Amino acid sequence: MLVGFATLALLCLGLAWIALPRWLHQLECRAGTDWGARGLNRIDGLIRLFCRRYHRLRADTVPLPSHGGAIVVANHVSGLDPLLLIASSRRPLRFIIAREQYQRLGLHWLFRWGGCIPVDRAARPERALRDALRALRSGEVVALFPHGGIHLDHEPHRKLKGGVAALARLTGCPVVPLRIEGVRGQGFVVAALWLRSRARLRAFPLLQCEAGEEHAFLHRLAGQIEGHWQRQHRGRPPQGTHAS
């Protein structure tokens, strides 16, 4: 019996080894953007497959400019959110994430490889701001969650962090507001990945932040990503976006 199980295991491993190159090629074909490395493109394809098939993601066309710096912002409801943004974007995203997450055991190599920008809120947060400014000025897309952590619609209002306004004002880069809905595992980090959702990503027209208009900019941005616009307009999609 043990010989039979061993033979079966070896056969399965052999078939998997034979199929692996074809599977990896399929992942590369599913990638929606070029990250500059074959391994990252394969991960991109896997993320898109996972979000669209397992989490049934429906996303508006994200109005990213074809080139040049841009800032993607969204509400933050779970650990699934970054994957939903990647799966909906046609350009690579450089996420600003908390340093404790950036240094998480087993994932640090991936965050570093993907160009994530760690921010230490307790000491020298200005370093992350400088890194983000450098990335934007070099034409990259920076993504962040301006609530500073997971924040659900029913929770007490939390002001948006002013970093997004500073980045937009100092670089002149457009801000792309997105709203995440339909995540079943809201409030969870790891569990949200496995609780199957009917995820929805709503996109809003680009915003600009001029000097002296930071408060108005943040107020308008909060109204979009927190769903105030949707409640006022009874769920109709904003003009200028199209379902993909």
Side-chain angles (χ1 to χ4, degrees), residues 168-191:
R169 176 176 54 81
L170 292 171
T171 62
C173 291
V175 174
V176 185
L178 304 174
R179 175 166 167 80
I180 297 168
E181 301 172 348
V183 174
R184 183 180 172 192
Q186 290 191 21
F188 297 97
V189 177
V190 177

Side-chain angles (χ1 to χ4, degrees), residues 30 33 74 86 100 102 112 125 155 169 192 197 209 223 236-237 242:
R30 289 183 177 275
T33 187
I86 291 172
E100 58 269 23
Y102 182 81
R112 182 176 181 181
E155 294 177 341
R169 176 176 54 81
S197 303
C209 182
R236 296 195 301 272
H242 306 277

Side-chain angles (χ1 to χ4, degrees), residues 197-213:
S197 303
R198 291 188 179 275
R200 179 78 169 91
L201 191 74
R202 297 186 183 275
F204 295 85
L206 303 180
L207 296 178
Q208 297 283 347
C209 182
E210 303 294 339
E213 298 180 356

Side-chain angles (χ1 to χ4, degrees), residues 112-215:
R112 182 176 181 181
W113 196 20
C116 292
I117 301 171
V119 56
D120 190 340
R121 301 187 186 96
R124 303 188 67 182
E126 69 278 0
R127 174 179 292 183
L129 179 63
R130 289 197 301 267
D131 290 342
L133 286 171
R134 191 177 303 114
L136 291 168
R137 287 167 176 161
S138 65
E140 298 183 84
V141 181
V142 171
L144 58 92
F145 300 105
H147 281 110
I150 290 178
H151 180 264
L152 307 183
D153 289 346
H154 66 268
E155 294 177 341
H157 177 71
R158 182 192 297 175
K159 290 184 178 180
L160 302 187
K161 303 291 184 181
V164 60
L167 289 173
R169 176 176 54 81
L170 292 171
T171 62
C173 291
V175 174
V176 185
L178 304 174
R179 175 166 167 80
I180 297 168
E181 301 172 348
V183 174
R184 183 180 172 192
Q186 290 191 21
F188 297 97
V189 177
V190 177
L193 300 176
W194 311 120
L195 294 172
R196 196 179 188 196
S197 303
R198 291 188 179 275
R200 179 78 169 91
L201 191 74
R202 297 186 183 275
F204 295 85
L206 303 180
L207 296 178
Q208 297 283 347
C209 182
E210 303 294 339
E213 298 180 356
E214 291 87 351
H215 180 76

Side-chain angles (χ1 to χ4, degrees), residues 15-28:
L15 292 174
W17 183 258
I18 293 172
L20 182 61
R22 183 176 180 181
W23 185 66
L24 292 176
H25 176 71
Q26 289 296 320
L27 290 181
E28 287 184 57

Side-chain angles (χ1 to χ4, degrees), residues 220-238:
R220 183 178 180 188
L221 180 61
Q224 293 175 334
I225 69 173
E226 292 176 358
H228 304 320
W229 187 98
Q230 181 182 354
R231 288 189 287 272
Q232 292 172 1
H233 294 76
R234 299 181 182 177
R236 296 195 301 272

Side-chain angles (χ1 to χ4, degrees), residues 61-102:
T61 300
V62 178
L64 278 170
S66 59
H67 62 277
I71 306 167
V72 170
V73 298
N75 59 319
H76 194 13
V77 299
S78 74
L80 179 64
D81 303 344
L83 304 187
L84 298 177
L85 298 189
I86 291 172
S88 305
S89 301
R90 65 177 185 270
R91 294 180 61 187
L93 303 179
R94 293 193 62 181
F95 285 90
I96 298 179
I97 65 174
R99 179 167 293 278
E100 58 269 23
Q101 297 298 325
Y102 182 81

